[in-house]
Amino acid sequence: MKGLIYKDITIFFKSIDKKLMLIAVGAIILLMVNTGVYAGLFASVMLAMTIGMQNIMSFACDEKASWKKYQLAMPVNAVLVVTSKYISVIYTLAVSLVGSVLFNLLSGIAFHEFNVIVWGVSTAVSLIVPLLWTGICLPLTYWFGFRSAQTMGLIAVIPMFYFVKYFEDGDGVSAMTSSIFSYVVVAGFAVIVLFIISMIISMIGYNRKK
């Protein structure tokens, strides 16, 4: 199991798309310049989206290398293979979480304001978005191929973009109260359930592949 997890994490970092990173960095800089005290939150959302997309791209590596053929010659079963993939996704959340903390710290220093609610929401988003993204796209990879997952990942950018624009252009962020934490808890629980169901569906899909 450890070897499989190491493989998946290594693939995640080695398959980082430079163009995607440049776009993400540019978008994060623009958000941090234009959104004032909420810069850390918006930057966290963008980074979380990037982590989710990068995970999807790394999923393609096993498909292109016909990993299933190698797995059949190894003392590992489908449960271990799929579980290791999902665990590796959880490990990559550390990148999203650390990035969120740094962005909010920079924002707090730059604008001399440390908003506990914004920090809390940023932290939640940095964990929820990548799990949601991969929880939806990984089963698609095992059932229909990585191209369908990549397509779905691109489609998922659209509502996330409008979500960011809604808060950036309106009063959404400034209107947040402590009640937002209840919604975050519900959303987090829902995503965890989705992630577990997604893993089961992925195992079934992986088993049916030849």
Side-chain angles (χ1 to χ4, degrees):
M1 174 70 83
K2 290 182 180 179
L4 292 173
I5 296 172
Y6 176 78
K7 171 188 76 71
D8 292 327
I9 294 176
T10 301
I11 290 175
F12 172 85
F13 286 105
K14 286 190 174 182
S15 64
I16 289 177
D17 189 291
K18 294 180 180 178
K19 293 180 180 179
L20 175 63
M21 289 299 108
L22 287 174
I23 294 173
V25 169
I28 288 172
I29 291 174
L30 287 174
L31 285 171
M32 294 198 74
V33 170
N34 296 323
T35 54
V37 295
Y38 304 111
L41 171 59
F42 291 114
S44 297
V45 173
M46 182 58 63
L47 177 62
M49 291 168 62
T50 304
I51 295 297
M53 286 188 283
Q54 182 56 43
N55 270 314
I56 295 170
M57 292 180 180
S58 68
F59 298 160
C61 294
D62 281 353
E63 289 281 317
K64 292 178 180 179
S66 298
W67 163 253
K68 185 67 179 287
K69 295 180 180 178
Y70 294 101
Q71 182 256 313
L72 292 174
M74 300 172 64
V76 293
N77 55 33
V79 173
L80 290 177
V81 171
V82 175
T83 301
S84 68
K85 182 73 71 176
Y86 278 80
I87 292 176
S88 72
V89 170
I90 294 174
Y91 273 109
T92 62
L93 295 180
V95 179
S96 184
L97 183 59
V98 170
S100 176
V101 171
L102 291 176
F103 290 141
N104 279 283
L105 186 60
L106 288 173
S107 176
I109 294 173
F111 298 102
H112 309 289
E113 183 173 337
F114 295 88
N115 190 311
V116 176
I117 294 177
V118 173
W119 275 68
V121 174
S122 299
T123 301
V125 166
S126 70
L127 300 176
I128 289 174
V129 172
L131 288 179
L132 177 63
W133 217 301
T134 54
I136 293 173
C137 293
L138 195 47
L140 290 175
T141 300
Y142 286 129
W143 278 85
F144 306 108
F146 70 90
R147 293 192 185 281
S148 65
Q150 289 178 326
T151 301
M152 179 58 71
L154 292 174
I155 293 174
V157 171
I158 298 174
M160 290 299 298
F161 172 78
Y162 280 105
F163 172 80
V164 172
K165 289 297 294 179
Y166 168 76
F167 283 112
E168 182 182 358
D169 297 337
D171 298 324
V173 174
S174 59
M176 284 194 304
T177 64
S178 58
S179 63
I180 191 69
F181 286 110
S182 62
Y183 294 103
V184 169
V185 170
V186 172
F189 179 76
V191 168
I192 291 173
V193 172
L194 171 66
F195 202 67
I196 294 172
I197 294 174
S198 170
M199 184 167 64
I200 295 171
I201 296 174
S202 292
M203 288 177 184
I204 297 172
Y206 187 81
N207 270 323
R208 65 187 286 274
K209 293 181 65 176
K210 298 180 179 179

